[in-house]
Amino acid sequence: MGKDNVVVLDFWASPYGMRTKIALAEKGVEFETRQEDLWNKSELLLKSNPVHKKVPVLIHDDKPICESLVQVQYIDETWSKTGSFFPSDPYQRSQARFWADYADKKVSFEAGRKIWGTKGEEQEQGKKELLESLKVLETELGDKAYFGGDSFGYVDITLVPFYSWFYALEKVGNFSVESECPKLFAWGKRCLLERESVSKSLPEPEKVYRQVLKLRKLFGIE
Ligand code: GS8
C-alpha cells in the first residue's frame, strides 16, 4: 500500500476544521492543509463540497469527504490500528454520539456569532443560551478527565475547538467561561496541555479575538 495522500481544505479559525486536524493528528496521519479564502472559494472546494460549499473538506486519495463529524468518523475507521475515538460498548458509543450531536448543535459557530456578531439585548440572549449549553455539557463531564473518561475521544474532539474561541467571546461579551463553568474550562486547558493533537490544531486565542474584531467592523457592529 502506498502512502496516503491526505489534504484538508481549511480556514484557520474554523472550529470544524480544527476537529479534523485533531483527529488526523491523534491517528498520526500526515496531511497537508490548504487555506481557503471563504469570500473567494477555490474551484477545488466548490467541486469537492458542491452541496454546502463549506470547509473543512477532507480529501483522501482524491476522494472528498464533507462535514467535520463525518470526517472524524471516517478517520477513526480508516486509521483504526491505533485504537478508536469511540468506546467499544454499543451503549457507551451511543452516548458519545448523543453528546457530540448536542455539542455540535449547541456550541456552534452560529451560537458564537450570537455573541460576537451582536450587541445589547441580542448579545445578552446569545450569552445566556451559550452558557446554558456549556453548563449542560459541564454536568455531563462531571469529574471525568475527558468526556471519554480517561481517554480523549469523540466528544472531546467535537467540542474542544471552541475552547480557542472562548477568549474572543468573553472579551466581546464581557463574561467569563471560567467562572461560570470552571470544570469545563479546566477540561479545555487539560486537552490543550495533554494532547499535542489539540495544541497544534488550535489557534492562539488572541488571533481569534483579532479576527472577531475584524468581522465586527466588517459587519458594522458597535
Ligand atoms: C460546518 C462547516 C462550516 O460552518 C461541518 O463541517 O461540521 N457542519 C459543518 N464551515 C464554515 C467555516 S467555520 O464557520 C464555512 O465554510 N463557511 C463558508 C460559507 O458558509 O460560505
Side-chain angles (χ1 to χ4, degrees):
M1 214 169 79
K3 199 168 172 303
D4 294 294
N5 183 6
V6 182
V7 176
V8 181
L9 306 184
D10 189 28
F11 175 63
W12 67 268
S14 165
Y16 306 104
M18 293 174 214
R19 289 175 178 165
T20 304
K21 290 181 283 184
I22 293 169
L24 288 167
E26 280 290 327
K27 298 281 186 172
V29 178
E30 277 178 41
F31 62 97
E32 177 198 337
T33 49
R34 290 195 202 152
Q35 293 298 312
E36 284 286 335
D37 173 352
L38 297 179
W39 279 271
N40 183 19
K41 296 171 183 168
S42 73
E43 278 305 311
L44 181 60
L45 174 59
L46 299 175
K47 187 181 91 181
S48 310
N49 190 353
V51 176
H52 297 305
K53 305 175 177 67
K54 290 185 178 192
V55 295
V57 178
L58 172 69
I59 307 178
H60 182 203
D61 292 339
D62 295 326
K63 300 182 304 270
I65 300 123
C66 301
E67 285 296 316
S68 60
L69 291 181
V70 175
Q71 293 161 13
V72 173
Q73 293 179 41
Y74 176 84
I75 292 163
D76 195 49
E77 290 165 10
T78 304
W79 291 279
S80 56
K81 279 193 205 124
T82 48
S84 176
F85 301 143
F86 290 90
S88 55
D89 175 67
Y91 181 71
Q92 293 305 327
R93 228 166 28 232
S94 78
Q95 298 310 292
R97 290 202 180 98
F98 173 85
W99 285 110
D101 180 61
Y102 180 87
D104 187 53
K105 286 182 177 133
K106 301 286 194 173
V107 189
S108 60
F109 180 77
E110 283 313 316
R113 189 174 181 156
K114 283 192 194 155
I115 299 173
W116 66 256
T118 59
K119 57 182 177 181
E121 270 299 300
E122 217 183 331
Q123 189 178 60
E124 285 309 310
Q125 185 59 26
K127 267 162 43 177
K128 190 170 155 264
E129 284 172 19
L130 181 70
L131 284 170
E132 268 171 22
S133 309
L134 292 179
K135 283 178 184 165
V136 171
L137 286 160
E138 177 166 85
T139 303
E140 166 56 20
L141 176 68
D143 292 318
K144 299 193 292 279
Y146 297 112
F147 283 89
D150 290 334
S151 59
F152 177 83
Y154 186 57
V155 183
D156 302 291
I157 296 173
T158 302
L159 185 62
V160 77
F162 291 90
Y163 181 79
S164 65
W165 277 75
F166 284 173
Y167 175 75
L169 299 179
E170 288 172 329
K171 291 275 274 192
V172 172
N174 191 30
F175 68 111
S176 158
V177 177
E178 186 168 16
S179 41
E180 302 270 352
C181 304
K183 283 185 185 170
L184 192 78
F185 194 83
W187 158 85
K189 238 183 189 164
R190 184 177 315 120
C191 293
L192 210 53
L193 278 171
E194 292 182 1
R195 308 306 300 180
E196 199 194 351
S197 64
V198 176
S199 59
K200 67 183 187 196
S201 306
L202 265 53
E204 285 299 319
E206 273 288 345
K207 192 177 172 196
V208 178
Y209 179 50
R210 285 196 299 274
Q211 176 74 6
V212 155
L213 291 181
K214 220 158 82 183
L215 290 173
R216 275 178 79 82
K217 215 165 172 184
L218 191 73
F219 296 138
I221 310 151
E222 289 300 271

